[in-house]
Amino acid sequence: MFDLKGKIAWVTGASYGIGFAIANALAGAGAKIVFNDINQELVDKGLAAYNERGIEAYGFVCDVTDENAVNEAVKKIEQDVGVVDILVNNAGIIKRIPMCEMSAQEWRQVIDVDLTGPFICSKSVIPSMIKKGGGKIINICSMMSELGRETVSAYAAAKGGLKMLTRNIASEYGEFNIQCNGIGPGYIATPQTAPLREKQPDGSRHPFDSFIISKTPAARWGTPEDLAGPAIFLASGASDFVNGHILYVDGGILAYIGKQPK
Ligand code: NAP
Ligand code: GCO
């Protein structure tokens, strides 16, 4: 039931990081991988990385916030590869700025990539999924779909919205055998969180790094590979009656008040 042979999976922003790990996992389960990134250099970097792992991926340059570009890209994918069976809305950015110092433009940039992008990409594949008899959409949400923290107002608003977009796609298209679910990663060691893990000048751990360790029962940061199994589950027939669900893969952070300071 976890077999993805014969399926075409499009993972957005998947030249590296969480998207790359999820695409590798889906390829390992038999899917054919399609991915996009924001520029050719990143797409080439991704293609080389996939090829190194024996994965024949189909890569293309596309900004997920550009509706015309996305629609053109989906037409080309359908001509060159086939109808998308699995869409993983992974591409995302974060701007860590105190809300009262954040410009409306900076706010809009985050909302555009993290929330409007998944709307545009989902809209572009759903009609063909319906014609084909069904499909899977997986939105990469976040702990910030549930919790806030200083400096991430736009990101939390976008990821909270993405949780509700997930539930709405599930509601509106479930009758066409489309399942739309989310994965909510905890704190994962990728370039996006590198600034939060930088060693201090004296060689000690970044305060935020220590904070996350104390808030995580697993007492570690997640790795992109920790998301592989959950992604295969939500992309496969094993989850055909799971719809509108956000699967948190966070080492237990959301369940835990945090380690008592010594
Ligand atoms: P990352 O390392 O920053 O990778 C994000 C990828 O998306 C990059 O390849 C990036 O390209 C691409 N991208 C950005 N804007 C794009 C656009 N407009 N169109 C197409 N591609 C675009 O991030 P990550 O840590 O792997 O995170 C991936 C997803 O997981 C994001 O949605 C993030 O919010 C979410 N997430 C991350 C964590 C974590 O702790 N890392 C936890 C929960 C959720 P560029 O290199 O050009 O930016
Ligand atoms: C931050 C982090 C988080 C993670 C992730 C947690 O600044 O707090 O970047 O937002 O990226 O979203 O689930």
Side-chain angles (χ1 to χ4, degrees), residues 75-151:
K75 274 197 206 117
K76 199 151 175 359
I77 293 168
E78 292 183 356
Q79 280 161 10
D80 297 355
V81 189
V83 169
V84 172
D85 300 291
I86 302 155
L87 167 65
V88 181
N89 284 307
N90 166 79
I93 60 171
I94 190 167
K95 290 182 185 294
R96 299 182 183 97
I97 305 167
M99 194 183 93
C100 292
E101 295 165 31
M102 179 178 252
S103 69
Q105 195 214 347
E106 286 165 328
W107 164 277
R108 288 194 187 98
Q109 278 174 335
V110 176
I111 300 292
D112 216 15
V113 177
D114 294 6
L115 181 55
T116 308
F119 160 75
I120 288 172
C121 293
S122 301
K123 211 157 69 91
S124 75
V125 298
I126 284 173
S128 294
M129 285 183 171
I130 292 174
K131 283 195 202 108
K132 192 170 182 180
K136 300 280 187 179
I137 297 175
I138 300 169
N139 293 323
I140 306 302
C141 296
S142 160
M143 282 180 45
M144 272 61 214
S145 299
E146 301 295 341
L147 301 172
R149 84 173 185 85
E150 299 77 6
T151 76

Side-chain angles (χ1 to χ4, degrees), residues 249-260:
V249 186
D250 65 356
I253 293 184
L254 285 174
Y256 186 37
I257 195 170
K259 189 168 287 305
Q260 185 181 342

Side-chain angles (χ1 to χ4, degrees), residues 94 96 142-144 149 152 155 185-187 192-193 196 208:
I94 190 167
R96 299 182 183 97
S142 160
M143 282 180 45
M144 272 61 214
R149 84 173 185 85
V152 296
Y155 183 83
Y187 279 83
Q192 192 245 50
T193 54
L196 306 174
F208 197 89

Side-chain angles (χ1 to χ4, degrees), residues 54-73:
I55 297 170
E56 189 212 332
Y58 176 95
F60 62 98
V61 178
C62 183
D63 177 341
V64 295
T65 66
D66 180 341
E67 187 166 25
N68 291 334
V70 168
N71 289 336
E72 283 311 306

Side-chain angles (χ1 to χ4, degrees), residues 37-50:
D37 222 308
I38 198 94
N39 59 50
Q40 193 58 50
E41 188 193 344
L42 275 173
V43 169
D44 292 344
K45 171 184 164 188
L47 283 171
Y50 288 113

